[in-house]
Amino acid sequence: MTSTGKGWFGYAERYDLGAYGLLAHGGESQRGSFHVELNATGCARVSDWQRVIEWGETSGATITRVDLAHDDLEGQAVSIAMALAWHQAGGFASNGRPPAASLIDDLGSGKGKTLYIGNRKSGKLCRVYEKGRQLGDTSSPWVRIEVELKNKSRVIPWDVLLTPGHYLAGAYPCLSFLSAAQEKIRTITKVVMVSLGRAIHHAQQMAGKVVNVLMQFHGGDAFAVVNA
């Protein structure tokens, strides 16, 4: 680990893990938590993901973000044109709502196009981009499709580290061809509940005096008060 001498997103200290990621800790607002981040190079060095899962679960750690990717080195099964067609056909739709899309066009320069589906605010973003061209080969057919998932309104299971292809294929209907086995990470519906105690408190403030008068009028008969 190499200390950067700087903080990072609210953490007091950040350490670079060579070329493999980063670790951050410290800071009163972080309440003793640690942030561990592995990039693609770091993930490639992990030989036993089951041990990572066991560590995460026993430590009470949470996956806050995971990026799942599929590379089509020949550009036969995935391309920008195909992804645009999938979007127009509703292949990226979830619950009948097609996500927004935007295209960064290289205008024939050979630097590579990128198609974005969805947005980071929702916690789910898909990128389809010409990876080979972005790396400098202006004639490369290599295309990568990548889905970024965050734990906003969803719980990312640790199993995603063992079978990432299943979750990538289950992310959108149009990606189901990537794997016969598919897993979906569903969003959590937030239901606002008003506690009984608070409801009673408001009822007492708004109708308490009226109820007292009705109780006296009906000689203390609560059933009569309710029926009134």
Side-chain angles (χ1 to χ4, degrees):
M1 297 191 300
T2 303
S3 175
T4 63
K6 300 178 181 179
W8 188 80
F9 285 95
Y11 287 96
E13 298 182 59
R14 167 180 169 167
Y15 293 84
D16 286 342
L17 306 178
Y20 308 126
L22 65 91
L23 181 146
H25 70 92
E28 184 176 348
S29 64
Q30 303 304 334
R31 296 173 293 181
S33 66
F34 285 76
H35 177 97
V36 181
E37 186 170 315
L38 295 180
N39 56 28
T41 304
C43 289
R45 295 296 298 270
V46 177
S47 59
D48 189 349
W49 282 108
Q50 185 60 50
R51 289 187 61 188
V52 177
I53 293 174
E54 291 171 359
W55 168 82
E57 292 179 337
T58 57
S59 302
T62 300
I63 298 178
T64 58
R65 171 178 168 176
V66 63
D67 292 358
L68 310 173
H70 171 80
D71 287 307
D72 185 348
L73 299 180
E74 301 301 325
Q76 296 296 315
V78 180
S79 68
I80 298 293
M82 290 178 187
L84 284 169
W86 295 339
H87 180 262
Q88 293 173 358
F92 289 97
S94 178
N95 298 323
R97 298 187 300 272
S102 61
L103 174 66
I104 297 180
D105 198 331
D106 65 356
L107 300 177
S109 68
K111 294 183 178 180
K113 302 180 180 68
T114 300
L115 175 66
Y116 293 92
I117 307 290
N119 61 76
R120 282 195 170 94
K121 292 183 179 180
S122 69
K124 184 178 181 180
L125 175 68
C126 179
R127 290 180 288 266
V128 183
Y129 56 103
E130 295 173 325
K131 181 67 174 179
R133 298 190 179 193
Q134 290 187 355
L135 291 176
D137 185 348
T138 58
S139 61
S140 173
W142 177 9
V143 176
R144 172 175 291 176
I145 186 163
E146 187 174 270
V147 176
E148 173 188 311
L149 295 169
K150 293 184 178 180
N151 67 334
K152 180 177 182 180
S153 300
R154 59 175 57 81
V155 176
I156 301 176
W158 283 95
D159 185 58
V160 74
L161 302 182
L162 286 181
T163 56
H166 296 179
Y167 288 92
L168 178 60
Y172 300 99
C174 62
L175 301 186
S176 61
F177 73 96
L178 292 176
S179 172
Q182 299 157 28
E183 297 286 350
K184 294 183 179 180
I185 300 177
R186 301 188 183 279
T187 56
I188 301 171
T189 302
K190 294 183 179 179
V191 180
V192 179
M193 300 293 291
V194 179
S195 69
L196 179 61
R198 193 162 186 79
I200 292 174
H201 171 74
H202 287 302
Q204 289 173 337
Q205 296 297 314
M206 298 175 63
K209 293 182 179 179
V210 176
V211 171
N212 287 333
V213 171
L214 288 173
M215 286 289 288
Q216 294 176 16
F217 180 80
H218 289 285
D221 187 345
F223 289 103
V225 173
V226 173
N227 290 329

